[in-house]
Structure formats: structure tokens, C-alpha cells
Amino acid sequence: MSSVSIASLIDQSYTMKSFNYLEPAKTDAATFITIMKEADQIGVVAFSTRSRILYPLTTIQSDHKTIYDAINEIKKIQPINMTNIKEAISQGHDILNNAGNPNRAMILLSDGIWNEGGDPLIGLPTDIPIYTIALGDRGQCNFLQEVARRTYGQYHFSPDAFELAEIYNQIADDASVATIAINQKQLIDSYRFTTLPLYVPGGSDHVSLAVNWLDESVTYTTGTPGENQVNILLRDPDGQKIVMPPTFMGNGFVTFHLHDPKPGQWTTGCWCGNMRQNIFRATVGAFEPNSTIKLNCKLAETKMNCGDCLDIKTALESSKDEIGNVIIKTTLESPVNSKDYVLEKYEDEILNTEPDEELMKKGINEIDAKLNTLHKKLLPNVNIFARRQSPVHAKYSQDGVEHEPIKLDVPGNHTIRVDVEGTILRSNTKFTRTRRLSVNVK
């Protein structure tokens, strides 16, 4: 892949802390940078009432200094004040104007509505794609989707902080940082381990493996994991255990870069000690920076109303090798209930609930602020924003991929995930590809 220039725009308004989003967001944004390649460029902007450049656009060198410097600045972010998205986009655009790479993109992460600086859609620059991430559905999801649509980026929805790492992994693929082969959440009990197959196709000269987790108090170890510790397992196709220090390591993440890996089925996984919360929540991402096999997915239409049918355009392309034995699996994740249904069912409880003051300050109406307070109060026994997963029939042929029409019968955010497994026929080695994208339905 050619080199890219990325501006990461991170919401540091106070509600990011009140929803427990800020620390995971910082970890996931930091992990994203460790996936980037030499000659890529990274810049970081943090925004609240005002926007500021945390880290100027800088070219990544082989000594890794740029990556660690950018991560250190991200980790310093603290919550404060309101949300000025317009100024953040302007600053991100400014620093990319002087980018040394033709491929440029912004990543815009926010948990809610803009309430400072004016409407970001007025005068929105459209020459650089913006990949937007809506953290939770309390804010202006339609607005963030429109920003992505107008700039030819991609809108992503994260119902909670745990989903966020998957989205950053996907954006690494969207923005041409690296092709994603694995993007998988892991829920592991204390004293347990899980494994995932990692297929390295023939001809791969570089594979990256990134693992990050929600609880930053969990530490990484190369030995038997003890109290609140995790070990990342890695075995080559011959079953030999690979013992190597992470290329990058920080609070809540490790990233390994494997150069000239042996083709075949590797094994990776997480081995847990006694977890403080009795469960380990992690996301495993595997990336191929120089792959010639690409899974492309897009929605024919993003402005959708309840009752419309979703049309997914999917193509699996190989610019070098013939592929076969393709298996495709598609899943739709949707809200269980509409907001109107929830408001009616919990009418009495909402009436007697004090609204979340921080949301009120940010401009969210009283009913939605009360609904958010009730949601947190009822967890974990009842999730009034529960989501469901449904399989979607898909068929692969040499002419392309066909998905059955999907009728969207509930308003809210819907996420489509497409997973593909296949074989490179010349080398008889397997590969995997995965993709996720979201749409907000009125």
C-alpha cells in the first residue's frame, strides 16, 4: 500500500468521561498509530470548547520515535468543556494541506452533538475523506453520517466503548493504512485462554498483530499471567511458540510486527490470569500492509428511513493472484427496540428520573438526558438499548457477491459485518478478510 497521512480528531468534552469513553478512546487511537507504516504521517487534534493541535503532522521513521511521541500526547488528554467539531475539522484539514502523501484522511471521534463554533456542515471541506465515529446514540448520529457522506468517508457507530477498537481497526483498512484480516472482540474469564487462527498467505512480507483491552490496569506479561495480567500467545504454522517482545506496548495494548512470516495457519490468542473484574475484554486485530487482496463493501444509499431495504455492494478483488474456495458470512446488528417503544415502556420510570446534568449542559433535551440516566441505572440487569444480531444470506461467485435485501424495521443505528475466507490457488494458502460499516436509520 502507498503511504498515507492521517489526522486523528479526538473529542475531549466532559461527557466523554461521564460515559467512561475517554480512556478507551485514547487507548484505541494510540493502538491505531502503532499499525501505521514507515513514511506514513500522523497528526493529532483534540477538541472541546476550542480545538488544538496536540501533535503536528509528522512522518513516521524506522526508530518509532514519532509513534511514541504521538501516543504520549494522546495519553495526556483530559476531559473539559463542550464540543467544537467545526474548528476540529478545520484544524485537521489545515495540517493535512501540507501532507507529503497523496492519500489523506481524517478520523473524527465524538460522543455527541456540537454546541460550540457553529454548524460544521456549513463550509465543510469535502476534498479529504472524513471517517466519523459516533460513540453511543445520544448525540447527532445523522450529522456524523452526513459528514462522512459529503466527504466520501465512512460512518461508523459504536454502541459502547468496547466496540470502538473494532472501528479503529476497520478505519485502518478504510484509509489504506493496512488490509485487515482479523477484527475480533474477545470475552475471556479469569484463568482462561482463547485462540484464533491467523492465516498468512503466501507472499506476505509483513503482518501486524494488535491486541488492546478495556481495563488499563491489566498489564502484559511474557510469562504465566498472574493477578490482572495477560499473555498474548503466538505460534507459527509448525506449532512453534514465538517468543518476542512487542514492537509497541502501552497501557492497554500491545502490537507485534512480524516480518517475512512463514505462510500458513498461525495461532494467536489471549491467556488470562485472575482478572479484577473476572472477565477480560479485548479486541484482536491482524493486518497485512502490502496485501493485493481487498474486500470492498459500501452501501448503495446511506440516507435511509425505517422500512427501507438496505442494499450492500460487496466485491472481493485480487490484483495479483487467482483466488477460490471463498466462504462469505454476513451479519446485521440492529437495535432490539425503537426509541419510541422504550419511551412508552419506561414512561413512569423516566418521569421519576433526574436527568444527566452534563448532557443537559451539552444541549441534549431533558427526555434523552433522563433516558440515559435510567439506562445506566438499570445496567447490567436490563439493557434498554439492547442490540441483536441476525444472519444475512450472501452468495459469492466469480461475478461478485450478492446479498439478500435487508428490510430495516427499527429506527436507529445498524451495523453490517462481512467476513470472508478463501484460498490463494497458486500458493494453496488461506486468507481472511473482514469489513464493518454502519447506517443510521430515521
Side-chain angles (χ1 to χ4, degrees):
M1 285 186 174
S2 58
S3 299
V4 299
S5 299
I6 304 288
S8 183
L9 318 181
I10 303 172
D11 186 346
Q12 65 171 132
S13 60
Y14 195 81
T15 48
M16 287 285 288
K17 178 182 178 181
S18 63
F19 294 142
N20 296 319
Y21 289 158
L22 187 56
E23 293 307 316
K26 288 156 59 175
T27 298
D28 297 336
T31 308
F32 175 91
I33 297 174
T34 68
I35 300 164
M36 298 180 74
K37 312 176 296 296
E38 186 178 347
D40 287 347
Q41 294 180 308
I42 183 64
V44 182
V45 173
F47 62 95
S48 56
T49 302
R50 297 302 304 270
S51 174
R52 61 195 176 97
I53 297 174
L54 278 185
Y55 192 73
L57 192 70
T58 306
T59 302
I60 294 172
Q61 307 291 341
S62 59
D63 62 4
H64 301 162
K65 182 178 185 299
T66 296
I67 290 176
Y68 276 118
D69 286 349
I71 289 173
N72 288 338
E73 293 303 318
I74 289 173
K75 288 299 184 178
K76 294 177 185 177
I77 294 175
Q78 296 298 320
I80 186 172
N81 298 335
M82 303 298 178
T83 309
N84 188 338
I85 292 178
K86 187 179 184 72
E87 191 173 67
I89 292 175
S90 178
Q91 284 197 330
H93 189 270
D94 286 345
I95 65 176
L96 288 174
N97 268 339
N98 298 317
N101 298 312
N103 292 333
R104 302 174 296 166
M106 285 183 262
I107 304 171
L108 171 61
L109 166 70
S110 181
D111 72 332
I113 63 176
W114 58 267
N115 49 20
E116 292 284 346
D119 186 348
L121 292 177
I122 297 176
L124 176 71
T126 58
D127 58 327
I128 297 175
I130 302 178
Y131 299 95
T132 60
I133 307 172
L135 251 174
D137 52 10
R138 304 159 187 85
Q140 293 176 323
C141 295
N142 280 326
F143 153 73
L144 290 171
Q145 181 169 268
E146 185 65 9
V147 169
R149 188 189 72 82
R150 292 191 187 185
T151 62
Y152 304 96
Q154 177 64 55
Y155 167 74
H156 292 281
F157 170 71
S158 180
D160 52 42
F162 191 22
E163 196 94 356
L164 184 57
E166 270 195 2
I167 292 174
Y168 268 104
N169 288 346
Q170 178 58 64
I171 292 175
D173 195 312
D174 293 342
S176 300
V177 173
T179 300
I180 188 165
I182 296 177
N183 195 12
Q184 190 74 254
K185 295 196 297 290
Q186 301 278 278
L187 292 168
I188 310 169
D189 294 331
S190 294
Y191 302 115
R192 300 287 183 181
F193 67 89
T194 60
T195 60
L196 289 170
L198 169 58
Y199 297 110
V200 175
S204 297
D205 59 359
H206 183 183
V207 172
S208 301
L209 177 71
V211 182
N212 64 5
W213 48 91
L214 274 182
D215 185 354
E216 283 197 352
S217 68
V218 176
T219 58
Y220 169 76
T221 180
T222 57
T224 301
E227 191 75 17
N228 232 32
Q229 289 186 323
V230 63
N231 184 342
I232 307 305
L233 306 173
L234 194 59
R235 294 186 181 275
D236 69 15
D238 297 324
Q240 297 298 311
K241 184 177 180 181
I242 304 300
V243 180
M244 59 181 290
T247 312
F248 300 99
M249 181 170 62
N251 293 337
F253 72 89
V254 292
T255 301
F256 300 87
H257 286 272
L258 307 175
H259 297 280
D260 297 318
K262 185 173 184 177
Q265 181 178 331
W266 290 60
T267 301
T268 186
C270 304
W271 179 20
C272 297
N274 184 29
M275 294 289 115
R276 180 183 303 171
Q277 299 177 354
N278 295 321
I279 195 166
F280 179 66
R281 294 175 174 86
T283 302
V284 177
F287 308 86
E288 298 172 26
N290 302 312
S291 175
T292 58
I293 301 173
K294 187 80 171 177
L295 175 64
N296 294 309
C297 295
K298 65 178 182 178
L299 302 178
E301 180 57 64
T302 57
K303 286 188 173 183
M304 307 201 70
N305 297 311
C306 187
D308 289 347
C309 283
L310 190 66
D311 185 8
I312 312 170
K313 304 296 185 183
T314 302
L316 182 63
E317 301 171 349
S318 175
S319 61
K320 183 180 178 181
D321 295 307
E322 186 178 355
I323 57 177
N325 305 319
V326 174
I327 300 171
I328 185 166
K329 175 184 176 183
T330 302
T331 306
L332 175 69
E333 183 186 277
S334 304
V336 172
N337 300 308
S338 68
K339 180 180 175 182
D340 288 343
Y341 173 87
V342 172
L343 289 173
E344 180 179 349
K345 181 175 181 179
Y346 295 96
E347 182 178 4
D348 292 339
E349 291 92 334
I350 293 170
L351 185 66
N352 296 313
T353 296
E354 290 295 321
D356 187 308
E357 292 184 4
E358 290 301 327
L359 283 179
M360 296 283 286
K361 290 178 184 177
K362 201 164 186 178
I364 293 179
N365 65 61
E366 183 177 357
I367 293 297
D368 284 345
K370 284 187 172 188
L371 192 60
N372 178 74
T373 302
L374 180 64
H375 171 61
K376 291 193 289 187
K377 179 181 177 181
L378 295 178
L379 288 174
N381 296 324
V382 176
N383 183 358
I384 60 178
F385 297 138
R387 298 173 67 78
R388 66 186 176 197
Q389 291 190 346
S390 308
V392 176
H393 178 69
K395 183 175 67 174
Y396 173 82
S397 70
Q398 295 300 321
D399 297 326
V401 178
E402 294 183 10
H403 284 96
E404 67 177 348
I406 307 167
K407 188 173 183 179
L408 302 175
D409 55 1
V410 179
N413 281 284
H414 300 253
T415 295
I416 303 95
R417 181 182 177 113
V418 180
D419 294 289
V420 168
E421 178 182 309
T423 302
I424 297 176
L425 299 180
R426 177 177 57 84
S427 60
N428 194 31
T429 52
K430 284 188 176 182
F431 68 90
T432 53
R433 294 292 179 266
T434 183
R435 203 157 191 88
R436 71 181 313 283
L437 60 164
S438 301
V439 60
N440 185 252
V441 178
K442 294 182 180 180

